[in-house]
């Protein structure tokens, strides 16, 4: 009997020790791994890039025909001043560089670009009954935008850490060429005069908007629209030798083109910004 009681006591002691150990193990502290913080793209800093696009330009043209020697207008009811407008469309492409300052989810910056242009256009302007024998004098004007550039400020908001919506505007400049031909009646019949043309580097303004997104690493891609006004280029009067206006006098031609543009382009930028900050 005594031995039985000793056995029962030993078994109870062993069970209690095991239960206490299990309870202590259940209450041991649990260690969890710290969350990994994802980096956020930092927009601050210099960047360079390239772009391609298309331009829908417009030229508003005007011609005035008068007496070249005296500068007097043609006699009424002849209309010596006429106008016409035409498209001047083409592909564009170039490079840009700039600097951004990011403040929380706002961004301000400065960007400059230089573009090659394939924009071309032409207009036909008729001065009805202006030639000496009452026939028309017809002027064909051709416009060409050789190249252009802009220097613009940018201001925008980060819709997300990786997507920038911005407005932009500033200085625009470019080389506009205008040439053409004039056909009218002269002493020996119908005569065509080739205009020597004008080439002028014009300064104007531009404004627009765009969206730019982080696509990986230090790279972003953008889609941008700009309206550009390069002002008016013109010359004259130039003599139309071989053509006559009443009363059998040498005519002079003054002509001009006012060039505006709508630009849509896509581009990529490489950013030399500071280190990324943690995404919480």
């Amino acid at each position: 009997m005594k031995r039985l009681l000793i056995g029962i006591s030993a078994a109870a002691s062993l069970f209690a020790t095991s239960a206490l150990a299990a309870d202590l193990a259940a209450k041991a502290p649990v260690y969890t791994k710290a969350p990994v913080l994802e980096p956020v793209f930092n927009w601050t800093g210099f960047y360079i890039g390239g772009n391609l696009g298309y331009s829908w330009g417009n030229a508003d043209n005007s011609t005035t025909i008068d007496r070249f020697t005296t500068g007097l207008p043609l006699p009424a009811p002849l209309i010596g001043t006429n106008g016409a407008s035409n498209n001047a469309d083409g592909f564009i492409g170039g490079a840009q560089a700039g600097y951004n300052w990011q403040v929380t989810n706002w961004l301000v910056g400065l960007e400059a670009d230089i573009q090659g242009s394939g924009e071309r256009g032409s207009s036909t302007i008729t001065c009805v009954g202006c030639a000496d024998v009452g026939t028309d004098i017809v002027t064909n004007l051709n416009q060409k935008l050789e190249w252009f550039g802009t220097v613009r400020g940018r201001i925008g908001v980060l819709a997300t850490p990786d997507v920038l919506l911005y407005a932009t505007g500033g200085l625009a400049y470019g080389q506009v060429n205008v040439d053409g031909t004039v056909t009218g009646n002269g002493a020996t019949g119908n005569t065509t005069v080739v205009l020597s043309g004008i080439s002028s580097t014009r300064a104007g303004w531009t404004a627009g908007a765009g969206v730019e997104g982080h696509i990986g690493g230090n790279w972003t891609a953008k889609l941008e629209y700009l309206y550009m006004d390069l002002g008016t280029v013109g010359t004259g009067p130039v003599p139309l030798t071989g053509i006559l206006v009443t009363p059998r006098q040498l005519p002079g031609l003054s002509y001009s083109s006012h060039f505006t543009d709508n630009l849509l382009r896509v581009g990529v930028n490489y950013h030399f910004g500071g280190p990324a900050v943690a995404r919480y």
Side-chain angles (χ1 to χ4, degrees), residues 56 58 60 150 152 168-170 172 205-209 225-230 258-264:
W56 294 266
N58 184 77
D60 289 323
T150 71
R152 295 170 286 106
T168 183
W205 61 274
T206 184
Y225 165 80
L226 292 177
Y227 177 83
M228 182 171 68
D229 189 330
L230 291 178
H258 181 187
F259 201 91
T260 58
D261 222 341
N262 293 277
L263 315 170
L264 186 64

Side-chain angles (χ1 to χ4, degrees), residues 164-168 208-212 223-225:
L164 171 68
L165 306 176
Y166 65 90
T168 183
V211 57
E212 186 171 357
L223 174 66
E224 184 175 70
Y225 165 80

Side-chain angles (χ1 to χ4, degrees), residues 37-38 40 278-280:
L37 302 179
E38 299 179 15
V40 175
R279 188 197 305 267
Y280 292 95

Side-chain angles (χ1 to χ4, degrees), residues 129-145:
C130 292
D132 184 61
V133 293
T135 56
D136 299 341
I137 296 179
V138 179
T139 303
N140 293 303
L141 290 181
N142 307 310
Q143 307 85 29
K144 179 166 51 174
L145 181 62

Side-chain angles (χ1 to χ4, degrees), residues 46-247:
F46 288 100
Y47 62 89
I48 60 172
N51 66 82
L52 291 171
Y54 197 79
S55 172
W56 294 266
N58 184 77
D60 289 323
N61 309 292
S62 176
T63 63
T64 299
I65 296 176
D66 56 21
R67 298 181 178 96
F68 179 74
T69 304
T70 65
L72 295 175
L74 298 181
L78 298 181
I79 301 174
T81 300
N82 292 272
S85 63
N86 61 266
N87 295 332
D89 304 338
F91 288 98
I92 58 174
Q96 69 271 350
Y99 191 90
N100 292 324
W101 292 269
Q102 180 183 347
V103 181
T104 62
N105 65 327
W106 290 93
L107 182 141
V108 294
L110 184 66
E111 181 175 290
D113 65 85
I114 189 72
Q115 306 286 136
S117 171
E119 296 174 66
R120 305 289 186 271
S122 62
S123 270
T124 298
I125 305 173
T126 301
C127 187
V128 178
C130 292
D132 184 61
V133 293
T135 56
D136 299 341
I137 296 179
V138 179
T139 303
N140 293 303
L141 290 181
N142 307 310
Q143 307 85 29
K144 179 166 51 174
L145 181 62
E146 295 282 1
W147 58 267
F148 68 92
T150 71
V151 179
R152 295 170 286 106
R154 297 203 309 169
I155 183 169
V157 61
L158 293 169
T160 74
D162 292 325
V163 178
L164 171 68
L165 306 176
Y166 65 90
T168 183
L171 171 71
Y173 58 95
Q175 182 177 331
V176 181
N177 298 340
V178 181
D179 59 21
T181 61
V182 183
T183 302
N185 192 72
T188 58
N190 223 33
T191 300
T192 296
V193 177
V194 177
L195 300 174
S196 59
I198 48 178
S199 179
S200 177
T201 300
R202 307 298 302 169
W205 61 274
T206 184
V211 57
E212 186 171 357
H214 177 223
I215 57 176
N218 285 36
W219 291 94
T220 62
K222 70 174 185 176
L223 174 66
E224 184 175 70
Y225 165 80
L226 292 177
Y227 177 83
M228 182 171 68
D229 189 330
L230 291 178
T232 300
V233 56
T235 191
V238 296
L240 300 180
T241 304
I243 299 175
L244 296 176
V245 292
T246 58

